[in-house]
Amino acid sequence: MESKHVHEQIAAMRQSFFNELEGKDNPNFVEEVFTMYLRDSIAFLETIEEAMKTIPIDSIKVDSILHQLKGSSASVGANKVLKEVNKTRQVLGKGNLERTKASILELRKEYDSFKAKLEPYFQLKQANSMAQEK
C-alpha cells in the first residue's frame, strides 16, 4: 500500500514539474521538445544507417552523428537510447564494423521503443486538453 502512495506522489511531482515547464505562455513546451528530439534523432539514425552502407565506411562521420544523437538523447532523458549510442560508439571505435552494424540495430530498437512510449502519452494529453476545452 505504501508503494502505491509513493508512486502517486512521484506522478504528482512529475506532473507538477511538467506544468511548471510549460506554464501559460507555452502550454506545449514538453511536447515540442520531444517532437524536436524525435524529428532530429530519426534523421540522425537514418544518416547513420545510410553511412554504414557506403564502402569504405566513414567512421568519423558516423561517430560524429552518434555524438550528436548522444547529446540529444541525454538532453531529453532517453537513457536507454543513450546507453546504446555509447555502446555503438565504443564498438565503432574498435573498428569492428559487423558488431557496429548489429549495435546500430539495437540502437534503432531502443529508439523505436522510446518513441512508442512517448506517442500514447502525448495522444492522451492532447485528448485531455480537448476534453477540458469543451
Side-chain angles (χ1 to χ4, degrees):
M1 203 50 113
E2 186 175 312
S3 176
K4 182 180 177 185
H5 180 68
V6 170
H7 288 295
E8 289 171 353
Q9 282 182 307
I10 291 169
M13 292 172 80
R14 180 181 304 123
Q15 188 57 52
S16 174
F17 178 67
F18 279 4
N19 292 345
E20 186 173 327
L21 280 175
E22 293 182 334
K24 293 176 185 173
D25 295 333
N26 195 355
N28 299 317
F29 176 76
V30 173
E31 185 175 358
E32 290 170 9
V33 168
F34 281 105
T35 298
M36 285 188 299
Y37 169 75
L38 293 174
R39 182 195 65 221
D40 293 348
S41 57
I42 193 64
F44 293 149
L45 283 169
E46 289 172 355
T47 302
I48 290 166
E49 290 166 348
E50 284 301 311
M52 291 301 293
K53 294 176 184 176
T54 63
I55 298 177
I57 292 172
D58 186 347
S59 297
I60 294 170
K61 177 182 178 180
V62 172
D63 187 59
S64 175
I65 298 165
L66 284 166
H67 182 74
Q68 291 175 34
L69 181 57
K70 176 183 175 178
S72 296
S73 299
S75 294
V76 299
N79 294 326
K80 290 181 179 180
V81 174
L82 177 61
K83 182 179 174 184
E84 288 303 322
V85 169
N86 286 333
K87 284 182 186 178
T88 303
R89 289 185 76 203
Q90 284 181 335
V91 174
L92 178 66
K94 293 178 181 175
N96 187 332
L97 297 180
E98 289 307 311
R99 283 195 59 213
T100 300
K101 289 177 184 179
S103 188
I104 289 170
L105 290 175
E106 289 301 313
L107 172 57
R108 174 61 98 135
K109 286 180 191 175
E110 284 302 336
Y111 168 81
D112 289 342
S113 175
F114 184 74
K115 180 180 176 186
K117 291 174 186 173
L118 276 179
E119 287 175 337
Y121 171 79
F122 289 117
Q123 288 170 354
L124 283 172
K125 187 174 182 269
Q126 185 177 37
N128 185 48
S129 294
M130 293 170 79
Q132 288 179 350
E133 289 175 4
K134 290 181 179 182

